[in-house]
Amino acid sequence: MELCSGDFLHALRDTVRLPDGALTTREYVVHPGAVMVVPMLEGLSGELLLVMERQFRYPLNRVMIEFPAGKLDAGESSFHCAQRELKEETGYRATSWAHAGLLHPVIAYSTEFIDIWFARGLHPGEQHLDQGEFLDVFTATPDELMRWCRDGLVTDAKTLTAALWLQNVLSGAWQLNWKDIP
Amino acid sequence: MELCSGDFLHALRDTVRLPDGALTTREYVVHPGAVMVVPMLEGLSGELLLVMERQFRYPLNRVMIEFPAGKLDAGESSFHCAQRELKEETGYRATSWAHAGLLHPVIAYSTEFIDIWFARGLHPGEQHLDQGEFLDVFTATPDELMRWCRDGLVTDAKTLTAALWLQNVLSGAWQLNWKDIP
């Protein structure tokens, strides 16, 4: 049953039977899914720089440090969305991509998943932000990112999850399967 | 303005002015905040075991592997909530606690934050699950947890964030400030 239908937020209320036979309701946001991109840039001395964003997030009334991310369009593949969002939000196109994993941001009350992509071989271009989208693009070293996670400057769950992936990829504990695209 | 008001889910729609002067709406879930606990148990040979849960999550229609967590009651402190949820969900009481950090699971459309606590000095007791709450408690080694994160068996964002904290605490890169309680 429809619980609410906003311009952006859609929620359902279902009646469900629990393992003990009792009936109850479950209320949750219906979400098309999203992607996040960890864009890896080579600095002037060959060092690794991460392309990140500062974006004001209204529900929290603060500027958040994040990796580029965005919702899937209807019928869009996760990979296409990753390429599109990276280009729109940062201007970069990447020649090499790896799918890392998946996260579910809020399992208690949303169907949302976020597919995690790594991108490298970055070529700069022009941003094309959505109407009403405002964000600053900047670069950070992996050490800076880890320090910000530790010190509470990064609290966005998807970006913290990206930090877990990045740390284990850079240490060699976890492998990525890179694919070059034309 | 109220967008929806369910038994569990409450959402608002605000009219906001963007940096370019245009008016738009922002829709978001209003949430009281929550806690997560990383409970550290000493195994028979002194090895570290993590107390975790398997819980069916209706919005995703699957069983998720998670650390114990729960919502703040009205007026409840984060620390009290952490002690209460650990006891209710797993039966354990802890004699030593450390506050790690904070995460925001879904910055685009919820005010929710999750405070991250570590607990050790665990003493078993009786579970007191909420009505309609069903979950299995089990233990895992840190290596198992990291493997599950890598292989996609753990996709819950709060639990992935806990894994980031745990990995850095165990390596000594990040320090926790443990406090004993009577």
Side-chain angles (χ1 to χ4, degrees), chain B residues 60-72:
Chain B
L60 302 174
N61 192 32
R62 74 180 79 166
V63 173
M64 303 292 285
I65 296 175
E66 305 172 45
F67 281 110
K71 273 198 290 189
L72 294 170

Side-chain angles (χ1 to χ4, degrees), chain A residues 25-98:
Chain A
T25 55
R26 290 287 182 260
E27 300 173 352
Y28 56 99
V29 172
V30 179
H31 193 281
V35 302
M36 166 174 61
V37 182
V38 180
M40 302 169 84
L41 192 66
E42 202 167 300
L44 286 178
S45 346
E47 78 278 20
L48 172 60
L49 293 174
L50 307 163
V51 180
M52 304 193 70
E53 302 175 355
R54 285 190 190 88
Q55 189 171 7
F56 179 77
R57 292 298 195 162
Y58 184 81
L60 303 173
N61 191 33
R62 75 180 77 167
V63 173
M64 304 292 284
I65 296 175
E66 305 172 43
F67 280 109
K71 273 197 291 189
L72 294 170
D73 285 339
E76 188 180 35
S77 74
S78 164
F79 181 47
H80 185 269
C81 182
Q83 293 177 290
R84 179 176 58 74
E85 288 289 349
L86 179 64
K87 177 80 182 72
E88 287 178 2
E89 295 193 349
T90 73
Y92 283 106
R93 290 180 190 281
T95 58
S96 194
W97 290 84

Side-chain angles (χ1 to χ4, degrees), chain A residues 60 64 103-107 109 112 114 155-160, chain B residues 31 34 102-115 156-158 161:
Chain A
L60 303 173
M64 304 292 284
L103 71 106
H104 290 101
V106 53
I107 63 181
Y109 59 90
E112 181 175 359
I114 301 177
T155 59
D156 169 43
K158 70 177 179 302
T159 303
L160 290 164
Chain B
H31 192 282
L102 184 78
L103 72 107
H104 290 101
V106 51
I107 62 180
Y109 59 90
S110 173
T111 65
E112 181 175 0
F113 66 85
I114 301 177
D115 236 350
D156 169 43
K158 70 177 179 303
T161 301

Side-chain angles (χ1 to χ4, degrees), chain B residues 162-182:
Chain B
L164 175 70
W165 271 95
L166 187 73
Q167 184 167 48
N168 284 286
V169 165
L170 294 181
S171 78
W174 299 0
Q175 261 89 51
L176 292 178
N177 184 14
W178 288 98
K179 285 178 187 159
D180 293 336
I181 61 162

Side-chain angles (χ1 to χ4, degrees), chain A:
Chain A
M1 196 184 84
E2 189 160 276
L3 176 64
C4 73
S5 178
D7 296 327
F8 167 78
L9 212 60
H10 303 275
L12 297 179
R13 172 193 282 156
D14 294 354
T15 301
V16 303
R17 192 174 293 278
L18 295 174
D20 65 2
L23 289 177
T24 187
T25 55
R26 290 287 182 260
E27 300 173 352
Y28 56 99
V29 172
V30 179
H31 193 281
V35 302
M36 166 174 61
V37 182
V38 180
M40 302 169 84
L41 192 66
E42 202 167 300
L44 286 178
S45 346
E47 78 278 20
L48 172 60
L49 293 174
L50 307 163
V51 180
M52 304 193 70
E53 302 175 355
R54 285 190 190 88
Q55 189 171 7
F56 179 77
R57 292 298 195 162
Y58 184 81
L60 303 173
N61 191 33
R62 75 180 77 167
V63 173
M64 304 292 284
I65 296 175
E66 305 172 43
F67 280 109
K71 273 197 291 189
L72 294 170
D73 285 339
E76 188 180 35
S77 74
S78 164
F79 181 47
H80 185 269
C81 182
Q83 293 177 290
R84 179 176 58 74
E85 288 289 349
L86 179 64
K87 177 80 182 72
E88 287 178 2
E89 295 193 349
T90 73
Y92 283 106
R93 290 180 190 281
T95 58
S96 194
W97 290 84
H99 183 251
L102 185 78
L103 71 106
H104 290 101
V106 53
I107 63 181
Y109 59 90
S110 174
T111 64
E112 181 175 359
F113 67 86
I114 301 177
D115 237 350
I116 308 166
W117 291 89
F118 278 65
R120 65 185 184 190
L122 300 185
H123 298 274
E126 229 178 288
Q127 263 184 332
H128 293 281
L129 296 178
D130 288 337
Q131 217 188 341
E133 192 171 42
F134 296 87
L135 54 87
D136 292 324
V137 176
F138 69 102
T139 58
T141 66
D143 281 353
E144 283 174 320
L145 171 62
M146 295 309 294
R147 213 158 49 230
W148 297 338
C149 292
R150 181 194 66 188
D151 295 344
L153 297 174
V154 169
T155 59
D156 169 43
K158 70 177 179 302
T159 303
L160 290 164
T161 301
L164 175 70
W165 271 96
L166 187 73
Q167 185 166 48
N168 284 286
V169 165
L170 294 182
S171 78
W174 299 1
Q175 261 89 51
L176 292 178
N177 183 14
W178 289 97
K179 283 178 190 161
D180 292 337
I181 60 162

Side-chain angles (χ1 to χ4, degrees), chain B residues 135-167:
Chain B
L135 53 87
D136 293 323
V137 177
F138 68 101
T139 58
T141 66
D143 281 352
E144 283 173 321
L145 171 61
M146 295 309 294
R147 213 156 50 229
W148 296 339
C149 292
R150 182 194 65 189
D151 295 345
L153 297 174
V154 169
T155 59
D156 169 43
K158 70 177 179 303
T159 302
L160 290 164
T161 301
L164 175 70
W165 271 95
L166 187 73
Q167 184 167 48

